[in-house]
């Protein structure tokens, strides 16, 4: 991706005249910085924000933004999964980033990108590792690439309102799975929550303390690994009491939640996918 665009490059990308872009820059419709010589430049994050959020304009020439070549015609998120997986396995962060941003500017919700592209690709990579076709380092590199790309997506999201309600997310103690919880963070940010992201491997006691301090209206726990199911069930029950006591709702999700464990979590809300989370986690007005 190019980091700074000239008005001409951005005009080419979205198929309007350069003078329209300059006008929008001056009206503040497109965030603009100035070079030392006084020329307008549009940060890539501002260009992506505009494309994704400013109504009817769409990307007609991705190459003008540095989104190029083979990922140019991805209209369905599912088409992107094999390309994304290949990029991860090859350690090709540039292509992985281009794919995610291509989908992002085509207005695919982050939850959908997470469910249909990232999780699907990582599941395949896990299977390849299990049967000895992929090396451990490829799996680790794939995670790092995802996390780097997500960091860039976060900077492209519009700023949340200062008075937006607070949501919190984490994985429980002993759960090292960062990719899923980072996607949860992005989905909540995209929905307009003011997110306090505590990351991975947070003991439920530590999380309860954070809840008491910040009183979030929503707490999302991403659960990919559980040591002791009975113990986990009890701790989640305690956490739920703390969250509800502070006026919030607890939502659980993640690969380790299905079946057996659900029965121990009676009354705790569970979502299976990020898409479900996005429709459930509407910011209260
Ligand atoms: C990456 C990875 C790791 C990395 C994680 C690194 C990191 N920084 O995150 C590391 C190296 C830590 C790791 C370790 C291990 N792993 Co591992 N790992 C994976 C892998 C390849 C991808 C996981 C991932 O990030 N997926 C991407 C996310 C986005 O997808 P997701 O988890 O499916 O999440 C989706 C939903 O569950 C949901 N969701 C998730 N959280 C939430 C939360 C909310 C609120 C909501 C609404 C929804 C939601 O939305 C997501 C998008 O759809 C999986 C393969 C797989 N099938 O998942 C194996 C896999 C899970 N690992 C496996 C194994 C065996 C291990 C180890 C035991 C290996 C070892 N011998 O050391 C250890 C155990 C670690 C532990 N303490 O549990 C096995 C598990 C087998 C089993 N039946 O349990 C798998 C399935 C690989 C395989 N095919 O064999 N692993």
């Amino acid at each position: 991706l190019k980091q700074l665009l000239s008005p001409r490059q951005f005009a080419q990308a979205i198929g309007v005249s350069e003078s329209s872009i300059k006008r929008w820059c001056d009206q503040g419709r497109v965030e603009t910085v100035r070079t030392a010589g006084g020329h307008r430049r549009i940060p890539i994050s501002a260009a992506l924000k505009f494309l994704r959020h400013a109504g009817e304009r769409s990307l007609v020439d991705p190459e003008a933004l540095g989104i190029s070549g083979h990922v140019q015609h991805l209209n369905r998120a599912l088409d992107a999964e094999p390309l994304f997986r290949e990029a991860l396995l090859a350690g090709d962060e540039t292509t992985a980033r281009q794919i995610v941003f291509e989908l992002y500017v085509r207005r695919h919700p982050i939850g959908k990108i997470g469910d249909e592209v990232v999780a699907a690709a990582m599941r395949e990579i896990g299977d390849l590792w299990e049967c000895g076709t992929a090396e451990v380092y490829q799996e680790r590199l794939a995670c790092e690439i995802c996390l780097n790309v997500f960091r860039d997506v976060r900077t492209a999201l519009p700023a949340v309102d200062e008075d937006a309600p607070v949501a919190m997310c984490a994985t429980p103690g002993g759960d090292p799975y960062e990719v899923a919880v980072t996607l949860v963070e992005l989905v909540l940010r995209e929905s307009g929550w003011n997110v306090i992201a505590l990351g991975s491997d947070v003991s439920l006691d530590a999380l309860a303390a954070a809840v008491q301090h910040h009183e979030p209206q929503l707490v999302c726990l991403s659960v990919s690994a559980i040591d002791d199911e009975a113990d986990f069930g009890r701790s989640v029950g305690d956490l739920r009491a703390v969250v509800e006591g502070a006026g919030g709702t607890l939502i659980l999700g993640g690969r380790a939640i299905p079946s057996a464990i659900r029965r121990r979590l009676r009354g705790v809300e569970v979502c299976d996918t990020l898409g479900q989370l996005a429709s459930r986690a509407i910011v209260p007005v």
Side-chain angles (χ1 to χ4, degrees):
L1 288 173
K2 293 182 175 139
Q3 288 309 308
L4 283 178
L5 305 170
S6 65
R8 179 201 292 269
Q9 286 169 324
F10 192 40
Q12 190 187 335
I14 66 177
V16 301
S17 70
E18 190 179 342
S19 58
S20 302
I21 297 288
K22 286 183 174 165
R23 194 173 58 247
W24 295 344
C25 288
D26 297 343
Q27 290 168 344
R29 284 184 64 194
V30 179
E31 234 174 272
T32 314
V33 295
R34 295 271 177 175
T35 62
H39 297 289
R40 300 174 191 81
R41 289 291 178 269
I42 300 149
I44 185 73
S45 60
L48 294 171
K49 256 180 236 174
F50 181 85
L51 268 165
R52 189 160 155 115
H53 302 281
E56 74 289 359
R57 297 287 162 201
S58 60
L59 191 58
V60 298
D61 182 2
E63 282 185 56
L65 299 184
I67 299 174
S68 60
H70 55 289
V71 297
Q72 213 174 98
H73 300 292
L74 299 173
N75 283 313
R76 295 184 330 128
L78 273 174
D79 296 339
E81 187 278 324
L83 291 172
F84 187 69
R85 186 201 329 145
E86 283 311 314
L88 293 182
L89 285 168
D92 181 354
E93 183 168 319
T94 305
T95 302
R97 180 179 285 103
Q98 287 181 344
I99 292 170
V100 170
F101 276 99
E102 175 81 16
L103 293 167
Y104 180 78
V105 297
R106 291 190 191 280
R107 302 197 182 92
H108 291 282
I110 291 173
K112 195 181 166 84
I113 300 173
D115 289 330
E116 295 182 13
V117 182
V118 180
M122 291 303 283
R123 210 175 301 125
E124 280 291 321
I125 291 174
D127 290 348
L128 291 175
W129 164 78
E130 196 184 7
C131 68
T133 315
E135 300 287 340
V136 170
Y137 86 84
Q138 289 176 297
E139 181 200 275
R140 302 305 296 267
L141 187 52
C143 288
E144 292 304 311
I145 291 173
C146 288
L147 295 171
N148 288 341
V149 171
F150 297 165
R151 226 166 274 134
D152 293 344
V153 171
R154 191 169 60 180
T155 62
L157 287 171
V160 290
D161 290 345
E162 260 172 47
D163 52 359
V166 172
M168 207 171 257
C169 60
T171 78
D175 180 333
Y177 287 90
E178 298 171 278
V179 177
V181 73
T182 308
L183 281 168
V184 168
E185 175 194 347
L186 292 178
V187 166
L188 294 174
R189 281 188 196 279
E190 181 181 38
S191 302
W193 291 87
N194 186 355
V195 187
I196 300 178
L198 298 180
S200 61
D201 194 8
V202 181
S203 80
L204 295 192
D205 287 344
L207 183 54
V211 168
Q212 274 163 336
H213 193 256
H214 293 280
E215 304 189 333
Q217 290 191 32
L218 182 65
V219 177
C220 292
L221 198 58
S222 172
V223 190
S224 304
I226 296 176
D227 285 341
D228 178 331
E229 289 185 8
D231 185 45
F232 181 77
R234 271 191 303 276
S235 313
V236 167
D238 295 347
L239 177 65
R240 179 190 177 200
V242 173
V243 172
E244 290 179 0
T249 304
L250 176 63
I251 297 182
L252 260 60
R255 218 181 33 248
I257 292 297
S259 62
I261 295 168
R262 276 190 197 216
R263 266 177 268 125
R264 297 183 194 271
L265 297 175
R266 226 169 294 135
V268 177
E269 211 177 310
V270 176
C271 288
D272 290 311
T273 63
L274 298 170
Q276 281 176 19
L277 177 64
S279 22
R280 169 64 184 77
I282 310 266
V283 169
V285 281

